[in-house]
Amino acid sequence: MKLLVIGSGGREHALAWKLSHSPRVEKVYVAPGNGGTSQTPLLHNLDIQDTDALIAFARQEKIAFTVVGPEAPLAAGMVDAFRAADLRIFGPTRAAAQLESSKDFAKAFMLRHGIQTAAYETFSDPLLAKAYIARHGAPIVIKADGLAAGKGVVVAQTLDEAEQAIDHMLGDGKLGEAGARVVIEAFLEGEEASFIVMCDGQHVLALATSQDHKRLCDNDQGPNTGGMGAYSPAPIITPALHNRIMREIILPTVQGMRRDGILYTGFLYAGLMIGPGTDSQRTIKALEFNCRLGDPETQPIMMRVKSDLTAVFEHALSGTLDQAEIEWDRRTALGVVLAAHGYPGAPRQNDPISQLAPDTDTCMTFHAGTTYRDNQLITSGGRVLCVTTLADSVLRAQQAAYEAISHTQFEGRQYRNDIGWRALPSSKA
Ligand code: AMP
Ligand code: GLY
């Protein structure tokens, strides 16, 4: 069979790579793909972005099914368009993708269906927004309502910072339409985890747990990013907590969408804040929903998949996810992102990538912002590579990743040295 994956990031490289391991797969097209997907066996880059042209391609090539990686095409209705053309595609419809594309929609939805989340209010008037933060004090969190490519959330430590964020979004309109409304919510403390499931509208299949590292620098310092590294499994998610997350967050979300007349199909990613205490004491609150896989969480998650993923997608597309199972490698996978100089603000492009670690069964370099120009691999985006390893412990996976990074070279690369620290036994001391 031939498959189509939409996107160009590390998430899509890892997903297409794992799909290509199925003995049934002849080719995986990645549209538009990146420098890495252009070189991986069985993957082929496809230089088409327009939805109608992709539909024509999928028809002509008899694509068995399409999987959409990023949120923007989902929010723009790519799934609706493929389905209207009678093509099989895995992802949420435009209506369902509002869980990610509008923070106000997501918050109102959670409130309506009793899903725990931070207290909030939504504003379009900067004066009213400022009065609200003056009443609540800092720290406080300001979020642009719409999609802002990872630049829409400000965790303000002071009232000054909060006011600046409001001026930036509501006053100066720096984020355009996405920032024309803001959600202001209470600051939550705890440990973050990423909980990602597949949905077929009714049934839910949980993927392996994972944790991301959102800040640019070691010790969780510096600006927020799209994610600087991740690992799977996340030891904080014990079996007891797993059950609570399914019962308290995931199932009420899928059922709530159904009750609101929207069938949720596709990946559903709940960004969670887990409070302190024993498993039964911990608070579990949803920080956000994404209607897609996480990046970089997908890279370690895919390293651990032992099953034929095509069969899982076929169940998801047929409404029989309750009959699907994924076998996970019991080892730990860990991915370290190498970002370009200037990321996340203004990433520099066109730096030659002079050295890459060799890919093996336990060490893969997934590409994101890379491209070939005149046969030279160069940087072409903020997050450039994600070196992902599989090993018997978090420590070993971490050591292997940094060893591989010592054989990976491009000018101006930035990476964290402490990916996985929360999962190391020493951090529990
Ligand atoms: P979001 O895109 O909503 O997940 O926000 C991006 C990041 O901001 C999260 O991964 C958290 O690190 C942080 N964040 C978001 N909301 C809150 C909150 N209510 N309290 C504390 N941190 C938050
Ligand atoms: N790693 C966070 C995200 O994909 O949104």
Side-chain angles (χ1 to χ4, degrees):
M1 60 170 69
K2 294 185 213 166
L3 307 177
L4 173 59
V5 171
I6 307 294
S8 65
R11 163 183 56 208
E12 288 80 21
H13 188 186
L15 178 63
W17 165 81
K18 182 48 72 176
L19 281 167
S20 76
H21 291 178
S22 164
R24 302 161 69 201
V25 167
E26 176 191 338
K27 262 184 196 175
V28 184
Y29 291 100
V30 189
N34 58 42
T37 54
S38 76
Q39 301 295 312
T40 305
L42 304 192
L43 309 194
H44 297 265
N45 284 359
L46 182 65
D47 191 17
I48 303 179
Q49 308 255 16
D50 173 70
T51 301
D52 290 334
L54 286 166
I55 286 174
F57 177 86
R59 274 222 185 93
Q60 180 199 315
E61 286 293 311
K62 301 203 166 43
I63 296 295
F65 61 83
T66 299
V67 185
V68 186
E71 63 277 16
L74 294 166
M78 184 177 274
V79 168
D80 312 61
F82 269 64
R83 284 194 192 154
D86 255 335
L87 292 168
R88 279 154 78 83
I89 185 165
F90 187 66
T93 59
R94 181 193 175 118
Q98 287 178 95
L99 275 182
E100 175 169 5
S101 65
S102 169
K103 299 264 189 207
D104 177 58
F105 175 94
K107 296 293 284 191
F109 171 86
M110 287 190 265
L111 205 61
R112 191 160 66 242
H113 294 287
I115 297 161
Q116 291 295 306
T117 184
Y120 84 106
E121 237 175 87
T122 302
F123 298 93
S124 49
D125 179 335
L127 290 177
L128 293 178
K130 286 182 185 176
Y132 181 87
I133 59 167
R135 276 202 308 281
H136 287 82
I140 195 160
V141 183
I142 294 112
K143 302 185 173 183
D145 174 54
L147 295 179
K151 299 205 165 81
V153 176
V154 175
V155 180
Q157 296 301 332
T158 63
L159 280 184
D160 239 23
E161 259 182 80
E163 294 210 348
Q164 278 174 30
I166 287 165
D167 287 336
H168 182 76
M169 295 181 200
L170 291 181
D172 309 335
K174 285 280 163 53
L175 297 178
E177 201 40 45
R181 285 195 301 172
V182 299
V183 164
I184 304 186
E185 68 176 37
F187 175 81
L188 299 176
E189 284 187 76
E191 191 171 334
E192 279 183 63
S194 308
F195 200 91
I196 308 174
V197 301
M198 291 174 83
C199 306
D200 64 8
Q202 184 171 8
H203 315 104
V204 172
L205 179 67
L207 301 187
T209 58
S210 58
Q211 259 176 321
D212 185 11
H213 301 62
K214 296 264 162 117
R215 303 297 193 99
L216 181 68
C217 309
D218 289 4
N219 301 315
D220 294 330
Q221 301 295 306
N224 252 318
T225 69
M228 292 300 289
Y231 53 93
S232 172
I236 186 175
I237 310 294
T238 59
L241 218 49
H242 197 284
N243 287 340
R244 281 191 56 203
I245 293 166
M246 289 296 284
R247 214 170 49 233
E248 295 174 27
I249 309 278
I250 302 294
L251 296 175
T253 301
V254 177
Q255 284 156 5
M257 290 296 272
R258 271 174 86 88
R259 234 178 287 145
D260 290 351
I262 302 176
L263 281 193
Y264 195 96
T265 54
F267 292 105
L268 176 68
Y269 167 140
L272 304 173
M273 189 66 93
I274 315 242
T278 61
D279 279 356
S280 56
Q281 288 167 338
R282 288 183 188 276
T283 53
I284 304 173
K285 295 196 179 190
L287 287 180
E288 62 161 344
F289 288 116
N290 294 317
C291 57
R292 50 169 177 79
L293 286 164
D295 191 337
E297 292 93 326
T298 302
Q299 291 85 316
I301 289 174
M302 288 300 140
M303 281 300 266
R304 295 186 56 218
V305 171
K306 292 177 81 174
S307 313
D308 179 344
L309 265 193
T310 61
V312 180
F313 278 104
E314 282 180 333
H315 276 298
L317 289 162
S318 307
T320 52
L321 257 188
D322 53 328
Q323 295 166 34
E325 227 180 332
I326 302 180
E327 190 190 343
W328 299 101
D329 196 307
R330 302 179 77 84
R331 290 174 288 178
T332 294
L334 182 142
V336 180
V337 169
L338 304 183
H341 178 83
Y343 178 77
R348 189 170 74 197
Q349 304 197 357
N350 302 320
D351 281 309
I353 299 168
S354 53
Q355 209 188 346
L356 285 175
D359 288 336
T360 67
D361 286 348
T362 55
C363 180
M364 280 294 301
T365 298
F366 295 113
H367 292 226
T370 73
T371 192
Y372 277 92
R373 197 178 58 199
D374 305 330
N375 287 324
Q376 167 68 55
L377 186 67
I378 58 170
T379 65
S380 59
R383 288 185 291 172
V384 176
L385 302 168
C386 182
V387 175
T388 312
T389 56
L390 192 59
D392 287 329
S393 68
V394 183
L395 186 63
R396 291 223 169 110
Q398 197 187 50
Q399 286 166 342
Y402 289 107
E403 162 64 19
I405 286 172
S406 73
H407 301 287
T408 307
Q409 195 47 259
F410 62 89
E411 200 61 44
R413 62 183 194 162
Q414 311 182 64
Y415 62 89
R416 281 179 60 157
N417 293 288
D418 63 350
I419 299 302
W421 69 270
R422 280 183 191 278
L424 289 173
S426 58
S427 75
K428 304 279 181 278

